[in-house]
């Protein structure tokens, strides 16, 4: 399977998600490289959107722009979902591996990237009254993304629609738990660090 | 070689000499303004100290405090609560008259028939001059009455005591007073929760005026909904926050302030129905500092002929100047020890373009004069208020040259350019002022201009595209058969 064929398969996936993801899973038509490129591209899109979205659509504080933090905050929800979904489906007889979930999400990002990019260009040529049209256009990309991602997850986990919805609901709960644990961990570490530093200060003042 | 070593040595020694700070003359000022993002930016001083009114101005009369200040076009009225006096000054800041004992038209001291005592002011807190009828109203707080004098002869015209038909629990201790052109009196009673007292021309009670909505706590609301009638009786009642000061603009609208922590708004422009109709279209809300270290407590408000109002903060001593739309013009002054700084500010008033601030602790009043940039900003605001766009645009352009942080000038100038159909320049300024609505309008014009200019090009492009599509379709169908 050459790289060019794999690239062609990416365009096939967005129009035929069930077939496409099936072939990705069982016939090795997917590529980790392409998936990661798309993922990074989506993060870059986040940065571009922050900087180049038209002034009429959104005023962003460019003077305190931090592209790295935008990159991370754009991609973080998706990573969180991937981990949350994987941790749920392992308990629910899902056949998909962590890598496969990752690739499904990344391939599904294609319409989102394309529509956001075109929308970004358009946003510089519209006036306030035409924002509704732009939002409609962006909504197409969003719905497309959700549809493909849903189909993809159904295919790789070999789920019915109902089971998939169930796992998605549980995934959202799992995501909340993950965030909670993260916060707990960081506050605890923070407390630990401050405790040790206070202790050191005390000791230094004694001797 | 040696020379080089000496040179380096001298350089190193020179580095040890501490730098000498250089202080300019008026650099003690801390003027600032909030921008679109709500962050405070330095601003060029809009006002500077012009003169001080203190015991030297008053001659032999001792000042106990200064609690309120009111100005007409040519005279200044200062209220001294502690020594129960009202001082009248002319526009050159010379003392004209100091009122304590009230006299009648024949220059005889007025004697009360019942108590057989002289009529003397008793801790007055507010003063107002009605231009139409030329009457001086003194809110004689300690005496629980309003004394009306002639504004020129200072003789007694009438005394307004607690109206017989007054209802409610508010005690009639008038603290601040304004009178509208049709002689209705609006009287503020400190910590009265029923609103501003409105009295008719003859001194009879009309109504309580002004709605001051309290903040609603969601948890309290929840428990109050659950509670039974008996439980509700035991709960703490939420009273409407009280107004603490008033002013009136040339249209007869009442401006008011409150420093009650429970209040939803802090500055009010009340319509005849008593509803707050203050315009707040600025970058930030009309509430003083955005993220205050010390919560602002507005103690007085002064509004001028073109809707520019200054509010005085008791806690920090700052003066916030807003234009009619609620855009910040400048923030200046503070509590401190330098001349012009306040300790316990009590009142503020516009004296034409000058601002007068009274201070209770320092027993003086400061007269602030607009600087060149402040004057231009005020003139711009006036022209804008009166609808003279061209002139406003000219003033704004000059202000920007002096104060590039005065963001509303960019918007004003942009709007002006938009009206002249100079779209590209308008876009530039509106973008600097972060105004999306008007930027969109300017961009619309600009886009139409471009489309019209290159219309043939667009048209040809469109035709070519359509032709190519049709051609390929035809070719496709031929191939398919």
């Amino acid at each position: 399977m050459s790289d060019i064929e794999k690239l062609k398969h990416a365009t096939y996936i967005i129009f035929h998600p069930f077939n496409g993801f099936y072939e990705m899973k069982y016939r090795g038509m997917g590529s980790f490289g392409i998936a990661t490129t798309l993922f990074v591209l989506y993060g870059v899109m986040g940065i571009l959107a922050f900087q180049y979205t038209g002034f009429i659509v959104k005023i962003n504080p460019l003077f305190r722009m931090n592209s790295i933090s935008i990159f991370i905050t754009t991609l973080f929800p998706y990573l969180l979902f991937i981990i949350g979904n994987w941790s749920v489906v392992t308990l629910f007889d899902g056949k998909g591996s962590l890598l496969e979930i990752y690739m499904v999400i990344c391939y599904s990002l294609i319409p989102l990237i394309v529509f956001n990019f075109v929308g970004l260009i358009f946003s510089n040529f519209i006036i306030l009254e035409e924002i509704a049209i732009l939002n409609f256009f962006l909504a197409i990309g969003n719905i497309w993304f959700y549809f493909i991602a849903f189909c993809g997850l159904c295919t790789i986990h070999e789920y019915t629609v109902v089971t998939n919805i169930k796992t998605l609901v549980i995934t959202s709960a799992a995501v909340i738990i993950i965030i909670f644990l993260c916060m707990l961990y960081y506050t605890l570490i923070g407390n630990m660090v401050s405790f040790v530093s206070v202790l050191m200060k005390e000791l230094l003042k004694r001797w | 070689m040696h020379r080089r070593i000496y040179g380096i040595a001298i350089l190193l020694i020179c580095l040890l000499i501490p730098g000498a700070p250089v202080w300019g003359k008026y650099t003690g000022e801390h003027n600032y303004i909030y921008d679109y993002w709500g962050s405070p930016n330095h601003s060029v001083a809009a006002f500077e100290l012009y003169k001080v009114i203190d015991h030297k101005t008053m001659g032999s009369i001792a000042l106990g405090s200064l609690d309120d200040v009111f100005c007409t076009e040519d005279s200044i009225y200062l209220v001294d609560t502690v020594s129960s006096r009202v001082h009248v000054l002319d526009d050159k800041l010379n003392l004209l008259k100091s009122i304590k004992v009230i006299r009648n038209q024949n220059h005889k001291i007025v004697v009360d028939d019942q108590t057989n005592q002289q009529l003397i002011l008793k801790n007055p807190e507010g003063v107002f001059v009605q231009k139409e009828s030329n009457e001086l109203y003194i809110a004689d707080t300690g005496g629980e009455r309003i004394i009306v004098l002639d504004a020129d002869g200072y003789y007694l015209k009438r005394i307004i005591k607690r109206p017989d038909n007054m209802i409610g629990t508010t005690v009639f201790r008038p603290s601040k007073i304004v009178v509208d052109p049709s002689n209705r009196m609006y009287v503020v009673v400190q910590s009265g929760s029923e609103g501003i007292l409105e009295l008719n021309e003859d001194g009879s009670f009309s109504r309580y005026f002004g709605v001051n909505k309290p903040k609603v706590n969601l948890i309290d609301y929840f428990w109050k909904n659950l509670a039974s009638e008996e439980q509700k009786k035991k709960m703490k009642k939420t009273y409407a926050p009280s107004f603490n000061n008033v002013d009136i603009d040339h249209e007869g609208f009442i401006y008011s302030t409150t420093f009650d922590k429970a209040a939803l708004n802090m500055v009010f422009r009340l319509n005849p129905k008593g509803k707050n109709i203050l315009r707040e279209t600025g970058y930030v809300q009309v509430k003083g500092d955005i993220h205050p270290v010390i919560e602002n407590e507005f103690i007085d408000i002064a509004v001028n002929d073109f809707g520019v109002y200054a509010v005085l903060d008791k806690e920090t001593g700052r003066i916030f100047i807003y234009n009619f739309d609620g855009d910040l013009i400048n923030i200046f002054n503070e509590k401190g020890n330098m001349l012009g700084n306040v300790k316990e500010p009590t009142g503020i008033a516009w004296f034409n373009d000058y601002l007068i601030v009274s201070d209770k602790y320092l027993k003086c009043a400061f007269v602030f004069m607009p600087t060149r940039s402040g004057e231009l900003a005020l003139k711009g605001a006036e022209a804008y208020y009166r609808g003279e766009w061209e002139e406003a645009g000219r003033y704004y352009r000059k202000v920007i040259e002096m104060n590039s942080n005065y963001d509303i000038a960019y918007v004003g100038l942009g709007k002006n350019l938009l009206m002249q159909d100079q779209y590209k320049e308008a876009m530039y300024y509106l973008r600097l002022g972060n105004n999306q609505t008007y930027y969109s309008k300017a961009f619309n014009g600009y886009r139409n201009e471009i489309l019209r200019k290159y219309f043939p090009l667009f048209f040809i492009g469109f035709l070519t595209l359509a032709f190519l599509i049709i051609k390929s379709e035809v070719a496709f169908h031929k191939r398919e058969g």
Side-chain angles (χ1 to χ4, degrees):
Chain A
M1 184 66 72
S2 73
D3 286 344
I4 298 193
E5 269 177 81
K6 280 180 179 171
L7 213 57
K8 271 186 185 167
H9 189 70
T11 52
Y12 178 76
I13 279 175
I14 59 170
F15 292 106
H16 309 85
F18 285 105
N19 261 341
F21 284 121
Y22 181 83
E23 283 173 16
M24 186 193 85
K25 187 175 161 88
Y26 295 106
R27 296 191 186 140
M29 299 282 267
S31 148
F32 180 75
I34 291 173
T36 307
T37 314
L38 286 169
F39 202 53
V40 171
L41 211 61
Y42 185 70
V44 174
M45 260 308 297
I47 302 168
L48 287 178
F50 191 88
Q51 183 155 8
Y52 294 112
T53 300
F55 177 76
I56 289 167
V57 180
K58 194 160 186 344
I59 307 179
N60 285 321
L62 291 182
F63 56 91
R64 54 166 175 243
M65 174 178 166
N66 182 348
S67 44
I68 294 168
S69 103
I70 295 167
F71 186 78
I72 292 167
T73 45
T74 322
L75 296 182
F76 188 69
Y78 296 94
L79 282 175
L80 211 58
F81 172 81
I82 290 161
I83 294 168
N85 191 254
W86 175 69
S87 51
V88 169
V89 295
T90 42
L91 304 174
F92 280 77
D93 279 343
K95 299 287 186 294
S97 67
L98 184 62
L99 185 74
E100 280 163 359
I101 300 169
Y102 170 73
M103 276 163 63
V104 164
I105 296 296
C106 291
Y107 274 91
S108 318
L109 285 173
I110 295 172
L112 213 52
I113 294 168
V114 172
F115 275 77
N116 281 7
F117 187 72
V118 177
L120 175 67
I121 293 166
F122 273 135
S123 77
N124 285 292
F125 298 106
I126 61 165
I127 57 170
L128 222 51
E129 287 79 9
E130 292 156 9
I131 286 182
I133 303 168
L134 178 75
N135 284 341
F136 177 73
F137 180 77
L138 292 178
I140 296 172
N142 270 310
I143 290 164
W144 199 339
F145 160 73
Y146 290 125
F147 176 69
I148 302 174
F150 188 83
C151 300
L153 289 175
C154 272
T155 314
I156 57 162
H157 296 320
E158 295 178 6
Y159 277 161
T160 59
V161 171
V162 180
T163 342
N164 200 14
I165 289 170
K166 270 185 208 159
T167 55
L168 285 177
V169 170
I170 299 164
T171 303
S172 61
V175 164
I176 292 166
I177 292 167
I178 291 171
I179 293 171
F180 173 71
L181 286 176
C182 282
M183 274 162 64
L184 207 66
Y185 174 77
Y186 281 115
T187 41
L188 275 177
I189 290 288
N191 283 346
M192 282 268 287
V193 170
S194 67
F195 171 72
V196 171
S197 72
V198 166
L199 203 69
M200 288 304 289
K201 267 184 203 160
E202 281 295 319
L203 288 174
L204 284 172
K205 275 176 185 157
R206 301 253 162 188
W207 289 292
Chain B
M1 194 62 205
H2 277 284
R3 246 195 205 167
R4 196 184 266 175
I5 289 168
Y6 281 134
I8 291 167
I10 287 166
L11 198 77
L12 284 174
I13 289 164
C14 283
L15 283 177
L16 291 175
I17 300 167
V22 180
W23 299 102
K25 197 181 173 190
Y26 289 117
T27 47
E29 285 149 348
H30 297 286
N31 292 58
Y32 65 102
I33 194 166
Y34 286 101
D35 65 3
Y36 175 82
W37 306 103
S39 43
N41 285 333
H42 280 290
S43 183
V44 178
F47 282 87
E48 63 185 7
L49 187 66
Y50 171 60
K51 266 178 185 167
V52 183
I53 303 168
D54 56 3
H55 59 92
K56 282 177 217 149
T57 322
M58 298 302 165
S60 58
I61 301 160
L63 280 171
S65 70
L66 278 181
D67 289 83
D68 196 15
V69 52
F70 178 81
C71 299
T72 58
E73 265 108 58
D74 51 3
S75 38
I76 301 162
Y77 299 82
L78 295 162
V79 181
D80 182 344
T81 304
V82 173
S83 50
S84 300
R85 277 176 183 279
V86 173
H87 306 287
V88 186
L89 279 72
D90 69 0
D91 54 356
K92 302 280 185 304
L93 307 183
N94 300 315
L95 187 65
L96 285 179
K97 174 87 181 169
S98 181
I99 307 161
K100 185 175 174 97
V101 181
I102 309 298
R103 289 167 194 273
N104 63 13
Q105 216 154 350
N106 308 322
H107 295 284
K108 293 270 163 53
I109 295 169
V110 180
V111 178
D112 198 320
D113 299 333
Q114 289 160 1
T115 54
N116 217 13
Q117 278 179 331
Q118 291 179 340
L119 185 61
I120 302 176
L121 291 180
K122 199 174 169 196
N123 303 338
E125 286 180 9
V127 66
F128 187 83
V129 173
Q130 211 322 13
K131 277 173 222 160
E132 275 79 12
S133 60
N134 203 27
E135 285 173 332
L136 170 65
Y137 289 75
I138 300 171
D140 196 20
T141 315
E144 302 193 355
R145 64 199 161 190
I146 298 161
I147 293 172
V148 187
L149 306 178
D150 186 84
D152 291 326
Y154 310 109
Y155 55 81
L156 183 70
K157 279 196 155 174
R158 58 182 189 274
I159 298 172
I160 296 156
K161 290 202 169 146
R162 185 183 192 281
D164 296 329
N165 61 342
M166 191 172 137
I167 49 163
T169 53
T170 305
V171 187
F172 190 73
R173 282 172 64 85
S175 171
K176 308 286 173 192
I177 180 168
V178 293
V179 184
D180 76 358
S182 45
N183 280 326
R184 274 190 299 259
M185 284 165 265
Y186 296 91
V187 181
V188 163
V189 176
Q190 296 300 342
S191 67
S193 66
E194 284 156 315
I196 299 167
L197 263 175
E198 188 186 318
L199 305 179
N200 294 325
E201 192 178 355
D202 57 358
S204 60
F205 174 80
S206 167
R207 57 170 174 166
Y208 287 109
F209 175 76
V211 185
N212 196 349
K213 283 183 197 151
K215 281 179 199 156
V216 181
N217 190 333
L218 210 65
I219 298 165
D220 283 355
Y221 183 76
F222 173 74
W223 286 117
K224 276 208 173 152
N225 262 350
L226 287 185
S228 68
E229 285 301 316
E230 275 173 41
Q231 280 172 322
K232 271 183 197 165
K233 272 179 202 161
K234 284 181 191 168
M235 279 181 181
K236 214 174 77 186
K237 275 184 187 165
T238 325
Y239 288 104
S242 61
F243 294 104
N244 63 8
N245 218 321
V246 278
D247 199 5
I248 190 165
D249 69 1
H250 68 106
E251 287 177 277
F253 283 97
I254 306 289
Y255 280 72
S256 184
T257 53
T258 179
F259 59 57
D260 202 317
K261 291 278 192 295
L264 209 58
N265 301 82
M266 296 177 86
V267 180
F268 302 83
R269 182 177 196 247
L270 301 166
N271 67 1
K273 235 174 118 187
K275 241 184 108 188
N276 187 12
I277 51 157
L278 190 79
R279 281 175 65 81
E280 292 191 73
T281 58
Y283 296 127
V284 291
Q285 273 181 297
V286 182
K287 59 167 198 178
D289 284 321
I290 304 305
H291 306 292
V293 183
I294 308 162
E295 288 270 337
N296 294 133
E297 289 189 2
F298 294 145
I299 192 155
D300 198 2
I301 183 164
V303 56
N304 70 3
D305 289 343
F306 44 94
V308 172
Y309 51 96
V311 279
L312 177 65
D313 173 30
K314 186 177 74 163
E315 291 296 308
T316 59
R318 285 173 193 150
I319 295 161
F320 299 82
I321 304 173
Y322 295 91
N323 72 7
F324 181 72
D325 282 335
D327 296 309
L328 258 175
I329 291 178
N330 202 282
I331 304 168
F332 76 101
N333 212 5
E334 63 193 323
K335 274 191 176 176
N337 296 314
M338 282 163 72
L339 188 63
N341 290 353
V342 289
K343 287 276 185 195
E344 200 186 331
T346 47
I348 189 167
W350 285 100
F351 181 54
N352 302 324
D353 267 357
Y354 291 46
L355 268 177
I356 301 182
V357 179
S358 62
D359 193 297
K360 192 183 180 78
Y361 180 89
L362 296 172
K363 295 171 191 168
C364 69
F366 299 109
V367 184
F368 291 99
M369 180 180 72
T371 59
R372 182 93 184 95
S373 83
E375 200 185 328
L376 286 170
L378 286 180
K379 275 185 177 161
E382 181 174 7
Y384 189 76
Y385 178 78
R386 303 207 191 286
E388 294 151 1
W389 317 114
E390 299 274 315
E391 213 180 323
R394 267 200 299 284
Y395 284 125
Y396 282 140
R397 204 182 273 274
K398 279 185 200 160
V399 180
I400 295 166
E401 281 170 17
M402 292 184 196
N403 184 1
S404 58
N405 278 346
Y406 190 57
D407 287 0
I408 55 168
Y410 294 122
V411 180
L413 183 54
K415 282 180 190 172
N416 184 231
L417 289 165
L418 175 62
M419 270 174 240
Q420 295 168 11
D421 290 351
Q422 297 180 26
Y423 298 119
K424 205 168 177 196
E425 216 183 344
M427 274 160 65
Y428 172 75
Y429 283 110
L430 288 166
R431 187 161 194 162
L432 284 176
N434 283 324
N435 190 317
Q436 280 173 309
T437 326
Y438 280 88
Y439 180 87
S440 168
K441 281 173 189 169
F443 181 72
N444 194 10
Y446 180 65
R447 198 176 60 174
N448 281 346
E449 246 173 31
I450 295 285
L451 278 177
R452 213 168 296 146
K453 200 170 166 190
Y454 295 106
F455 180 72
L457 223 65
F458 285 114
F459 192 66
I460 290 166
F462 177 75
L463 278 185
T464 329
L465 198 73
F467 177 72
L468 285 175
I469 289 169
I470 291 164
K471 199 185 161 194
S472 74
E473 281 293 310
V474 170
F476 179 78
H477 281 287
K478 257 185 195 163
R479 201 165 58 237
E480 293 282 304

